[in-house]
Amino acid sequence: MTIQYRNHEKLKLILMAIRENSEANGRLVNMAWQELDKPVKPVKEKAADRRRVNSATNPTLRVLQSKTYPISANYIAKKTGMKAKAIQHNIWRLRSYGYNIETSYHRSRKAKYRLIVAA
């Protein structure tokens, strides 16, 4: 099992880009490499907090759980009887509770949402 650190790969890419122009940025490169050498705490995977799902977000969650493909906020609104804006707020709220909801724009301007279930 490998331990993942927050933004570790992104920082390496930035450092490699800066290193190409190292004469001008030598001091910055050294500071960044020193920052990378400092010990960091591993990122913890946040489990979904199922206790926080309430009567407002529960219908949205049930519709997302019933479909395996991405569905639009308008479809969820039609199934639950809520407004599309309320659905988008519920999706934001479910994400803050730890649910992994993927957004897709495949062949469309409108966002479609899919609940990713951890295996």
Side-chain angles (χ1 to χ4, degrees):
M1 180 174 140
T2 60
I3 298 174
Q4 295 180 357
Y5 296 102
R6 189 176 311 149
N7 298 330
H8 193 261
E9 293 299 318
K10 187 186 279 187
L11 192 56
K12 278 186 177 179
L13 281 171
I14 292 169
L15 288 174
M16 297 309 283
I18 293 173
R19 183 176 264 184
E20 290 176 3
N21 199 0
S22 64
E23 289 179 13
N25 300 318
R27 211 170 86 223
L28 290 174
V29 171
N30 289 337
M31 287 171 49
W33 281 111
Q34 289 173 358
E35 198 64 32
L36 254 183
D37 289 338
K38 291 181 181 177
V40 260
K41 294 180 181 177
V43 176
K44 293 181 181 175
E45 289 292 325
K46 188 169 104 174
D49 190 3
R50 279 143 176 67
R51 294 172 295 157
R52 300 191 67 184
V53 176
N54 56 20
S55 61
T57 56
N58 198 21
T60 304
L61 180 62
R62 277 185 306 189
V63 174
L64 283 170
Q65 286 173 336
S66 69
K67 303 293 180 186
T68 58
Y69 51 87
I71 53 178
S72 68
N74 288 337
Y75 177 82
I76 300 170
K78 191 186 313 179
K79 290 293 183 183
T80 60
M82 302 169 124
K83 294 185 179 182
K85 191 65 178 178
I87 297 300
Q88 291 171 351
H89 184 75
N90 286 343
I91 289 171
W92 169 81
R93 193 178 280 168
L94 287 169
R95 283 179 175 152
S96 72
Y97 295 161
Y99 286 93
N100 189 4
I101 300 174
E102 179 183 76
T103 305
S104 171
Y105 290 95
H106 181 68
R107 299 174 63 186
S108 174
R109 287 186 189 184
K110 290 191 173 188
K112 294 184 178 179
Y113 306 99
R114 182 171 72 126
L115 182 67
I116 305 297
V117 180

